[in-house]
Amino acid sequence: VITIYDKEAFAQSKKYCNTNFLTFKFVTGFLFKILDFFKFKQDSFGAKSINKIKTILYEKRIAHVLKKKKYDFVITEGGHYWEYKSAYKYVPIEKSIFHIHNITEGNVFLERNYGNFIGTSKFINNKFVENKVISNERVHLLYNGVKIENFNKYVSLQEKKKLREKYGLKENEKTIIYCGRLVKGKGVKE
């Protein structure tokens, strides 16, 4: 797994004994000082410049890793995939997979740089191929995983009643629990 360093995520990564994590730290304080010297505001052009510099450095590091070692497959987890185009040249297209987490249209860049695509729902996959840039044969389905045993807790009628009272829910009302970010792409309203 190649990712940007995060203290908490790095600590959790130690639990995965069969996975190698490559993390990259970015020291941006010096860059902010330079931009400050030139009177760039961090909340406008300065922040954009820092993010662009981070992206370029990250892409170069990814390219360096992919150039040195051959992998069975390389999976890109959504995000700003187009910003890492120079890294893709070190991965044969048949070994390159793009994991689709949200509504994304297939496009020529994706078609040329990835051999296969994995979506997290039929809806997402259908939206991805709707414009016919990428053929259905290259798009596969893999639902997000969940440990079902985490949701097998017995809740007594008394506990259910207390929860309904706590949240102001009537006894005959249907209740749906949603866990996730409240953003349009999650389809909460639908």
Side-chain angles (χ1 to χ4, degrees), residues 50-113:
I50 292 293
N51 286 334
K52 188 64 183 166
I53 292 166
K54 280 183 179 180
T55 299
I56 291 166
L57 293 173
Y58 189 52
E59 179 183 19
K60 297 252 182 252
R61 289 178 177 177
I62 292 170
H64 180 73
V65 168
L66 294 176
K67 187 174 23 173
K68 284 175 69 175
K69 186 174 178 185
K70 301 299 177 211
Y71 293 92
D72 295 331
F73 292 96
V74 175
I75 302 172
T76 300
E77 290 292 332
H80 301 269
Y81 59 86
W82 58 89
E83 293 180 341
Y84 310 114
K85 59 184 173 279
S86 73
Y88 297 136
K89 67 184 174 188
Y90 299 106
V91 182
I93 191 166
E94 66 275 5
K95 294 184 177 219
S96 185
I97 300 169
F98 183 72
H99 195 193
I100 315 162
H101 293 263
N102 51 24
I103 298 170
T104 304
E105 281 190 347
N107 60 51
V108 174
F109 178 85
L110 290 168
E111 195 273 331
R112 289 182 181 161
N113 288 282

Side-chain angles (χ1 to χ4, degrees), residues 3-188:
T3 187
I4 294 172
Y5 177 81
D6 174 85
K7 185 178 179 180
E8 190 177 320
F10 184 74
Q12 289 182 9
S13 73
K14 299 298 180 199
K15 297 177 187 175
Y16 298 92
C17 57
N18 294 318
T19 305
N20 184 17
F21 288 84
L22 301 172
T23 59
F24 303 124
K25 289 183 180 180
F26 293 105
V27 181
T28 56
F30 180 69
L31 294 171
F32 276 123
K33 286 178 185 173
I34 291 171
L35 290 170
D36 258 358
F37 178 77
F38 290 109
K39 307 292 185 230
F40 291 128
K41 292 186 178 177
Q42 291 180 18
D43 60 346
S44 60
F45 183 77
K48 288 178 185 171
S49 296
I50 292 293
N51 286 334
K52 188 64 183 166
I53 292 166
K54 280 183 179 180
T55 299
I56 291 166
L57 293 173
Y58 189 52
E59 179 183 19
K60 297 252 182 252
R61 289 178 177 177
I62 292 170
H64 180 73
V65 168
L66 294 176
K67 187 174 23 173
K68 284 175 69 175
K69 186 174 178 185
K70 301 299 177 211
Y71 293 92
D72 295 331
F73 292 96
V74 175
I75 302 172
T76 300
E77 290 292 332
H80 301 269
Y81 59 86
W82 58 89
E83 293 180 341
Y84 310 114
K85 59 184 173 279
S86 73
Y88 297 136
K89 67 184 174 188
Y90 299 106
V91 182
I93 191 166
E94 66 275 5
K95 294 184 177 219
S96 185
I97 300 169
F98 183 72
H99 195 193
I100 315 162
H101 293 263
N102 51 24
I103 298 170
T104 304
E105 281 190 347
N107 60 51
V108 174
F109 178 85
L110 290 168
E111 195 273 331
R112 289 182 181 161
N113 288 282
Y114 292 96
N116 287 286
F117 305 86
I118 299 173
T120 56
S121 73
K122 289 178 184 176
F123 178 80
I124 284 174
N125 285 2
N126 289 338
K127 285 292 187 186
F128 186 71
V129 297
E130 195 172 66
N131 64 6
K132 302 196 184 325
V133 173
I134 296 169
S135 68
N136 284 333
E137 295 78 35
R138 292 171 61 189
V139 182
H140 311 279
L141 177 62
L142 179 64
Y143 294 113
N144 286 329
V146 64
K147 281 186 170 182
I148 293 174
E149 58 269 16
N150 290 347
F151 300 93
N152 283 342
K153 180 183 174 194
Y154 174 76
V155 181
S156 70
L157 290 175
Q158 187 178 1
E159 288 174 297
K160 288 179 185 179
K161 187 175 180 180
K162 282 182 183 177
L163 285 168
R164 284 188 175 280
E165 287 172 6
K166 181 179 177 178
Y167 294 106
L169 301 168
K170 296 176 187 164
E171 195 172 318
N172 62 347
E173 281 183 316
K174 294 266 186 216
T175 306
I176 299 172
I177 297 175
Y178 168 77
C179 180
R181 292 177 291 131
L182 293 173
V183 295
K184 185 178 179 183
K186 294 291 183 185
V188 176

